[in-house]
C-alpha cells in the first residue's frame, strides 16, 4: 500500500476502487495503532505481539503519501497518525544508524506466536526493514513541509 497513491495512473478505470480500498485499509489500520508509542504490532491486531518498526514505517509512508496525493483528507486524524507514527519510528533509530525492532524476514506463519517469535536483532533484520524506514522518513518530511509541524 505504500506506493499505491502515486503508482495508480490518474484516469485508470480501477482508480476509484483502489482509492476506496486504500481509504478502508488506512481507516482500519489506524484503529490498531499503539497510542502510547505511535507504533504498530508485529501482528497488527494482536497487542500481545511486539511493536514492529518496519510495519510502522510502511504505514507511516502509506498514510503520508495518501495525504500528499490527496487520497486522504487533510484532517487531524490522519496527520496525527503520521506524526505519532514518526515519533515512535524515530525513537527506534540510534545516532549510529542502527534501527531497533525490525522483524527478520518472515514467511507465512501458522499463528500469531510464529510471527511474535521472529528475531529483531539488527544484524538479522537490517537488510529488509531499513529501506521502509527511508521511505517513511522521506514521506513524513514531505508531509511536514507541505502541511507544517
Amino acid at each position: 500500500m505504500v506506493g499505491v497513491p502515486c503508482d495508480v495512473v490518474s484516469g485508470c478505470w480501477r482508480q476509484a476502487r483502489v482509492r476506496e480500498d486504500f481509504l478502508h485499509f488506512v481507516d482500519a489500520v489506524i484503529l490498531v495503532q499503539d497510542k502510547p508509542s505511535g507504533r504498530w504490532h508485529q501482528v497488527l491486531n494482536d497487542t500481545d505481539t511486539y511493536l514492529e518498526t518496519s510495519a510502522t514505517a510502511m504505514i507511516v509512508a502509506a498514510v503520508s503519501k495518501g495525504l500528499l496525493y490527496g487520497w486522504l483528507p487533510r484532517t487531524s486524524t490522519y496527520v496525527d497518525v503520521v506524526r505519532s507514527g514518526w515519533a515512535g519510528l524515530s525513537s527506534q533509530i540510534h545516532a549510529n544508524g542502527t534501527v531497533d525492532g525490525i522483524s527478520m524476514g518472515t514467511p507465512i506463519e501458522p499463528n500469531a506466536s510464529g510471527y511474535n517469535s521472529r528475531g529483531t536483532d539488527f544484524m538479522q533484520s537490517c537488510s529488509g526493514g531499513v529501506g521502509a524506514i527511508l521511505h517513511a522518513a522521506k514521506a513524513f518530511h514531505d508531509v511536514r513541509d507541505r502541511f507544517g509541524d
Side-chain angles (χ1 to χ4, degrees):
M1 286 304 215
V2 173
V4 168
C6 56
D7 289 344
V8 176
V9 177
S10 181
C12 172
W13 65 276
R14 290 187 178 174
Q15 186 181 38
R17 175 62 193 265
V18 173
R19 287 177 77 143
E20 180 182 322
D21 289 348
F22 180 78
L23 180 61
H24 289 306
F25 164 77
V26 171
D27 285 344
V29 83
I30 64 176
L31 293 175
V32 295
Q33 184 180 29
D34 180 67
K35 301 305 181 214
S37 71
R39 297 168 66 206
W40 281 266
H41 289 270
Q42 167 71 337
V43 177
L44 296 178
N45 64 345
D46 186 345
T47 58
D48 290 334
T49 62
Y50 60 87
L51 293 166
E52 208 281 332
T53 303
S54 60
T56 297
M58 289 182 262
I59 294 167
V60 167
V63 177
S64 295
K65 289 181 179 184
L67 288 166
L68 291 166
Y69 286 90
W71 282 38
L72 297 173
R74 185 181 159 209
T75 65
S76 61
T77 298
Y78 299 114
V79 174
D80 289 348
V81 163
V82 169
R83 287 184 182 137
S84 64
W86 177 252
L89 180 60
S90 62
S91 74
Q92 301 303 301
I93 304 170
H94 298 277
N96 69 358
T98 301
V99 182
D100 289 335
I102 297 174
S103 172
M104 64 189 298
T106 306
I108 297 172
E109 296 288 354
N111 52 44
S113 65
Y115 291 101
N116 201 38
S117 67
R118 303 303 294 171
T120 60
D121 174 80
F122 181 73
M123 295 311 292
Q124 293 176 314
S125 61
C126 66
S127 63
V130 175
I133 292 161
L134 295 173
H135 280 286
K138 169 74 167 104
F140 168 76
H141 286 281
D142 289 348
V143 166
R144 189 186 65 188
D145 290 348
R146 182 170 305 169
F147 302 128
D149 291 330

